[in-house]
Amino acid sequence: MAGEPAAAGSAAGATTGASSTSAVEGALAVLPAPRAEESGFELVWQQVVAEIGRARSIDVICHICPDGDALGSALAAGLALRGLGHEVRVSFGDDPQIVPESLAFLPGQELIVPAAEVPDAPELVLCFDVAAESRLGLLHDKAFAAPVLVVVDHHASNPGFGTHQLIAPAAPATAVLVDELLRRLGVPLDQELATCLYTGVATDTGSFKYRATTPATHEFAGRLLATGIRHDLISRQLWDTSSFGYLKVLAAALDRAVYEPGAAGGLGLVWTWVPYQDLALFSVTVEEIEGLIDIVRRPAEAEVALVLKQDPDGTLRGSSRSKGAVDVAAACAELGGGGHTYAAGFSAREDVAAVVERFRSALRPIG
């Protein structure tokens, strides 16, 4: 099953860069340049393409504990750059470095190397879907040692690190920006690239149901589907497949859930946490329970949802969601994290009660 989507995306069928230009330009027209005027954003694109053209070796990285948008974007870029003749490494700064089982079907994983194999001073680094320096993990120092560090991202909380920033908060996924990069590099879509990009946009839009989804998002997905990829198999792997152990962990987490009607200015908070002991008992990884937040957020009584997941060293990884009346990115920023207005996260080393108190205190209704 893990290989089904990749196999489905290996047959003939491609869309040329020229034929997709107008559609891409239409999609990108809705993406403002948040770090510069439009002309400045266009200049950065031109500079990045020029830097890529000059580079022999390129290191493509994404954030720790990669999700579908992060890894899909990085692998799509890596495959495209390898096809152009560059020496390419794809990596992320975890140790151990684990690709979630739900993403095991993604093509291009032969390009992934451990963080230790990334050069201490890379020639050029392309950084995808990393909202904050802290999300670089073990690759932080190596990334900043590169003379060219290109940050491609769509998180509104991104402070704009690196030497070149291509940051578009209105984009529904970083994968949309990767698609634009491929167009500018003259790389036509094929099924492997489309599989990676579809995974990115589908995961970060919650299967096209989140607010950032626009008509242009569906047009983008349509171009990807036109290559012949099996979106049904991709979706099954992403959302409808888990281990039996996950069900046991889920049951315990839901039993542990707490509803606080007075939190978030009276809008309500529901939260739970997953101790590492539960994960170890049922042989479940932290990555496998990433989707738990989408279940915890369902109660109509609560505006905000929070899930805390414990690592073996005791670190708590927080995932939060808002239904539209609270900026959880601002709240998570107060805990050293960040993300999107309605979906954000953080890491903390305190006990559960202290972390929840800090998060609760940071929640403020928008406006």
Side-chain angles (χ1 to χ4, degrees):
M1 175 58 210
E4 276 189 307
S10 61
T15 303
T16 66
S19 65
S20 65
T21 296
S22 60
V24 176
E25 288 176 344
L28 267 294
V30 301
L31 308 182
R35 309 306 180 200
E37 298 298 327
E38 288 187 11
S39 59
F41 204 54
E42 173 60 29
L43 178 60
V44 177
W45 274 117
Q46 295 174 9
Q47 292 171 339
V48 168
V49 170
E51 293 287 359
I52 290 173
R54 286 190 286 267
R56 180 187 63 84
S57 175
I58 300 176
D59 286 274
V60 178
I61 66 176
C62 61
H63 63 68
I64 57 175
C65 306
D67 57 10
D69 193 26
L71 193 59
S73 293
L75 290 174
L79 286 167
L81 293 168
R82 182 178 66 179
L84 291 174
H86 297 278
E87 176 187 330
V88 180
R89 288 173 292 267
V90 175
S91 190
F92 49 96
D94 288 309
D95 185 19
Q97 195 180 65
I98 300 171
V99 172
E101 183 62 28
S102 62
L103 301 177
F105 65 87
L106 285 176
Q109 293 190 46
E110 68 277 6
L111 295 173
I112 298 177
V113 302
E117 293 186 18
V118 173
D120 290 336
E123 181 181 356
L124 187 156
V125 173
L126 297 178
C127 176
F128 292 101
D129 206 45
V130 179
E133 294 180 29
S134 60
R135 299 285 285 163
L136 290 169
L138 298 175
L139 290 173
H140 178 278
D141 292 349
K142 293 183 176 184
F144 277 86
V148 180
L149 171 57
V150 180
V151 176
V152 183
D153 188 31
H154 72 132
H155 293 91
S157 62
N158 194 307
F161 61 94
T163 61
H164 299 73
Q165 300 92 36
L166 292 168
I167 304 169
T174 296
V176 173
L177 298 172
V178 177
D179 179 64
E180 172 67 359
L181 177 63
L182 302 189
R183 183 185 74 83
R184 289 172 179 266
L185 292 173
V187 177
L189 282 177
D190 60 21
Q191 291 189 341
E192 287 196 332
L193 295 174
T195 295
C196 292
L197 295 178
Y198 186 87
T199 298
V201 72
T203 53
D204 257 32
T205 60
S207 193
F208 306 96
K209 65 185 179 184
Y210 294 162
R211 180 177 292 189
T213 304
T214 67
T217 310
H218 287 289
E219 290 171 5
F220 173 48
R223 289 194 296 106
L224 300 176
L225 294 180
T227 66
I229 60 173
R230 286 289 302 276
H231 66 284
D232 56 329
L233 300 183
I234 294 173
S235 297
R236 184 191 307 169
Q237 187 73 4
L238 290 174
W239 292 292
D240 298 332
T241 303
S242 71
S243 66
F244 179 74
Y246 168 78
L247 297 182
K248 305 295 285 186
V249 172
L250 172 63
L254 294 180
D255 188 56
R256 207 176 281 122
V258 177
Y259 168 51
E260 300 185 9
L267 295 173
L269 164 69
V270 60
W271 66 271
T272 190
W273 77 292
V274 179
Y276 177 71
Q277 288 84 349
D278 281 11
L279 300 177
L281 177 62
F282 297 108
S283 300
V284 173
T285 65
V286 170
E287 291 74 24
E288 193 174 350
I289 61 170
E290 283 299 311
L292 176 57
I293 185 64
D294 293 316
I295 298 175
V296 175
R297 70 186 298 216
R298 291 182 182 179
E301 297 90 340
E303 165 67 24
V304 178
L306 171 69
V307 172
L308 298 174
K309 299 151 289 186
Q310 188 179 50
D311 283 341
D313 65 358
T315 298
L316 293 172
R317 304 187 198 177
S319 296
S320 65
R321 298 290 186 272
S322 165
K323 293 175 180 174
V326 173
D327 183 350
V328 290
C332 289
E334 293 191 25
L335 280 80
H340 306 292
T341 303
Y342 310 120
F346 61 87
S347 295
R349 293 301 301 271
E350 301 160 90
D351 61 49
V352 172
V355 173
V356 172
E357 172 58 30
R358 288 179 61 203
F359 180 77
R360 184 192 302 114
S361 299
L363 293 175
R364 299 174 186 86
I366 296 174

